[in-house]
Every structure is written in C-alpha cells, then in structure tokens.
Amino acid sequence: LPTPTRSPLASPTPAPTLPTESQLEIFQQLWDIVDENYLYPDFNGVDWNAAHETYRQRIENGLTNDEFYTAMDEMITSLGDDHSVFLSPQEAADEDAEYASNLDYVGIGIYVLAVPERNRAAILVTFPGSPAEEAGILPHDSILSADGQPILDAEGNLRDIVRGPEGTSVTLQVQTPGEAPRTLVVPRRRISGGLPVPFQAVLSPAGKRIGYILLPTFGDGNVDDLVGQALQTMTQDGPLDGLVVDNRMNGGGASPVLEGTLSYFASGTLGHFISRNEEYPLQVTGRNVDGSQDVPLVVLVGKDTVSYGEVFAGVLQDIGRAHLIGDTTDGNVETLYGYDFPGGSRAWIAHDSFRPLNHPNLDWEATGIIPEETVPAAWDEFTFETDPAIRAALAYFDSLP
C-alpha cells in the first residue's frame, strides 16, 4: 500500500492514461487503506463491503480517467466525514505547488473563498504587485462575475474563469462591503511564488499598539515562517500590547505549518492525536519572537475555520493562551493522512481525532471550537475598519490591565 504521511507528499508523476486494470489496482489500494486505517471503524454507517462491489462494477464497465477520479472521490465522500477527499493528478499537483510556495499561473493575483449563500467569491488576499492590487482590489472585496458569467456555478463552486492567457484582460464585477458593485477591467499576468500573509499594527481606542496577522491557510509551507517575519516587523519599534490572529478563513493544511505557527505562542505537549490503535502527542518547541510567547492573544474563529485551523485555535484556548472571538466552528478536526497512487492521484483519509490537553473529555468534532465571545462577522460584509470581530478584539485588549 502507499505510505501514509501527515505532511504534503512528493509531487507525483502524472500518467496520460489509466487502463481498466490500473484503475482497479488503485481502487483496491484505496478501499484497503480505508478499510484498515479509517478513523471510524463503523465507516460512519456506510456498508463498506457493498461500496466495494458497487464501485468495482462501475470501473469494470469502463470509465475514462476523469470519470474514474470522480468516482473515487464520490466513494470517499460517501463516508460523510466532510474531510476525507480523493484528488485527481491535477488537483494533487496544484496542492503540491501551493505547499511549496511555487504557484505559477496566469491570472490577476488573488486568493479567494466561495460564498455560495451570497453568490460571490470573497477575496482573502491580494498579492503584492499584482494586477488585482494595481486595480484597487482589496481583501474583503467580492467578485460577483467575470466576463459576464457568475463567479460561482450552480453548485456554488468557483468557476475557473478569472485565469486566462497572458496579456488578455478580464472584466470583473467587484463589490466592496457597504458599496455598490463596480466594473473593473483587469489585465492578466503571470503570478508566481508563495501566498503572502497580511499583517499590520493598529492602535486600539485606548491607544494600545495591537498587531494583526491573517492566517489564510496552513496549506502553504511558508506560512509559519511568514508569521515569524510579521512578528519581527511589527515589533521593530517596540513590543506589542496585544496580537490578533485572524483564523476565520483558515481551512487547514499541513502539520509542520500548524506546529511551526503554534511554536510562536506556546511550547511543550499541547494535546494528543488518537487513531484506532494508538495515540501520540502534539509536541511543539517554542520560539519567542520579540515577546510572542507572552503577548496577550486573541484568535478569531468562524464557520470557515476548519481542520488544523480549528486545532490551532482550540489548543491555544485549551491551555489558556488565547481569548477566542467569532462564531463557533463546524467541528472538522480529524487529521488526514495522505496516500499517493500511480498516475498522480492522491487520497487524504481521516486517520486521527484530537484530544485536548486540559479538557480531554471535550469532543471538538461534535461541538466545534466555541469562542468566549460570539461576534458574527461575515468576511465579505465588512472591511477591516468596520469588522465587528476586530472591534471586539480591540475592546478586549483595552479591558486588560
């Protein structure tokens, strides 16, 4: 069987075609992996033996590569944990490029999240020096349409219509929170490198100097290093009186990035991962960057805080290190193990749950991460300046001695 890992895997080498025999081999390996290692031994009520028969017959009846990859994802998705996933070779390659900070595509330089309930894509990050930045597109803005087409399809997924040939332009309908939509014609250029981590220092109403860092993902392998650089930059002129870590849009990622980011704020054993047959600690060696181990800390959470994003916030709350503000998360904290297959496809399968250090009876998968202060603040409905969660964080710091 493929070797499991809790970190991104080496980039697989895609194959042009997969004959039925190869599809059946991958299918059997995948089925066996779930059968032997899946976190939930009852398969969340799925008859896993019946699934074997159903999908084996579909493959034997003949599937194209795309149909096969879709079928394997359907089989994994049927487990119902809302976390395990099967990736096509292209999706796996894109994942590897993001983790390696090696993005390379032609577009306008934005990192977005679909917001199906409002038919838009919310902009989390605008790349410095990108066409989007030059056009005045900012985080918290939304794209409603591109070249006259809705930015989301009927299922609420992002359409791949902003990217295109280098030297061409795309016509976007963009909306800033609180303003009417506007039309922008934005040129496409090659975008390369890693995802930036936005940060800034602001003054609270009482005049305290508060740092702010956005964690867009743990899926880029440089995010933890960029957090350290942000801490250094913001403390060049003196220590911070508090720090806001905006974790609301963090959909998770890789364990080294989780551990590296936690290390600025905590140290030691911070909890335990629990699988079917064993447990092992979340162990972090602390790094103090200009007082980061002691600075008063607020972590913002919400419905889009997922996976290791939830573990990050929950751990800091559990050990008394952070005050949480926002919305209760949905509870999706399983650790996924990755398995690569011939042809370049990949599976991420739920392997471990997480047990908090100081409150071991809490089940975050069932309850989500519950903040001390509930402050709803949809990302695309507020700017940084008007964001109720940011305001609540500043008020919290002002309440401290």
Side-chain angles (χ1 to χ4, degrees):
L1 296 179
T3 302
T5 177
R6 295 171 60 233
S7 305
L9 305 161
S11 297
T13 302
T17 59
L18 282 175
T20 297
E21 180 180 350
S22 297
Q23 291 182 5
L24 286 169
E25 289 176 358
I26 293 171
F27 157 70
Q28 187 62 51
Q29 289 180 357
L30 177 62
W31 189 91
D32 287 341
I33 286 166
V34 174
D35 190 56
E36 297 168 10
N37 300 289
Y38 187 54
L39 174 60
Y40 306 109
D42 66 348
F43 307 102
N44 282 331
V46 173
D47 186 335
W48 196 235
N49 289 317
H52 184 281
E53 181 64 18
T54 297
Y55 285 94
R56 182 185 61 79
Q57 288 184 0
R58 284 178 61 178
I59 296 167
E60 290 178 343
N61 289 338
L63 296 176
T64 66
N65 276 10
D66 287 345
E67 290 170 343
F68 169 70
Y69 297 134
T70 298
M72 294 302 91
D73 189 43
E74 288 175 358
M75 184 176 77
I76 297 305
T77 301
S78 73
L79 291 166
D81 62 57
D82 296 326
H83 210 179
S84 301
V85 67
F86 186 89
L87 304 179
S88 70
Q90 183 59 57
E91 291 168 332
D94 289 345
E95 181 179 71
D96 291 334
E98 179 179 345
Y99 184 77
S101 295
N102 192 29
L103 298 172
D104 186 17
Y105 66 93
V106 175
I108 66 170
I110 53 176
Y111 188 75
V112 303
L113 182 73
V115 186
E117 60 269 27
R118 287 185 288 281
N119 299 311
R120 60 187 60 213
I123 295 172
L124 308 186
V125 175
T126 302
F127 286 63
S130 66
E133 184 183 64
E134 294 167 1
I137 298 174
L138 299 172
H140 296 276
D141 286 351
S142 294
I143 296 178
L144 309 182
S145 66
D147 288 336
Q149 296 186 62
I151 194 65
L152 304 185
D153 62 22
E155 285 73 44
N157 300 314
L158 288 165
R159 298 180 191 269
D160 188 15
I161 52 178
V162 175
R163 299 185 187 188
E166 192 165 7
T168 62
S169 296
V170 59
T171 300
L172 302 175
Q173 190 179 38
V174 177
Q175 186 171 24
T176 296
E179 299 181 8
R182 63 190 186 276
T183 299
L184 298 174
V185 179
V186 185
R188 296 182 175 105
R189 293 204 300 263
R190 184 159 295 280
I191 306 296
S192 58
L195 186 67
V197 171
F199 66 92
Q200 61 180 300
V202 298
L203 291 178
S204 72
K208 291 186 176 182
R209 190 164 178 270
I210 307 300
Y212 170 89
I213 299 176
L214 173 67
L215 293 181
T217 180
F218 286 147
D220 183 311
N222 279 344
V223 161
D224 55 328
D225 289 337
L226 292 176
V227 170
Q229 293 173 24
L231 290 168
Q232 288 179 330
T233 300
M234 289 189 294
T235 53
Q236 283 178 349
D237 297 327
L240 297 171
D241 297 310
L243 177 67
V244 179
V245 179
D246 196 339
N247 195 45
R248 288 176 291 181
M249 316 304 285
N250 184 355
S255 56
V257 186
L258 164 69
E259 293 160 12
T261 307
L262 277 171
S263 71
Y264 298 116
F265 311 114
S267 184
T269 299
L270 304 178
H272 291 83
F273 296 102
I274 313 295
S275 69
R276 279 192 196 178
N277 303 311
E278 61 181 348
E279 68 176 67
Y280 55 94
L282 171 58
Q283 189 80 30
V284 169
T285 301
R287 296 182 284 178
N288 188 39
V289 178
D290 298 325
S292 64
Q293 289 289 332
D294 301 308
V295 66
L297 191 62
V298 165
V299 175
L300 306 183
V301 294
K303 298 297 183 183
D304 293 305
T305 308
V306 182
S307 188
Y308 278 160
E310 293 179 271
V311 172
F312 174 82
V315 160
L316 292 175
Q317 181 188 53
D318 177 65
I319 65 173
R321 182 65 186 86
H323 181 79
L324 269 53
I325 295 175
D327 274 318
T328 299
T329 68
D330 283 344
N332 209 340
V333 300
E334 301 107 341
T335 293
L336 306 181
Y337 276 31
Y339 303 81
D340 275 350
F341 299 94
S345 57
R346 175 176 299 157
W348 289 102
I349 304 300
H351 190 275
D352 304 330
S353 59
F354 189 81
R355 187 175 67 208
L357 181 69
N358 293 324
H359 300 86
N361 293 326
L362 288 181
D363 181 0
W364 290 345
E365 191 70 25
T367 66
I369 307 301
I370 304 171
E372 281 84 5
E373 293 184 54
T374 299
V375 181
W379 181 267
D380 61 296
E381 293 188 332
F382 300 96
T383 64
F384 179 87
E385 291 73 19
T386 63
D387 191 325
I390 300 292
R391 291 181 173 180
L394 297 179
Y396 168 77
F397 290 125
D398 282 347
S399 73
L400 299 178

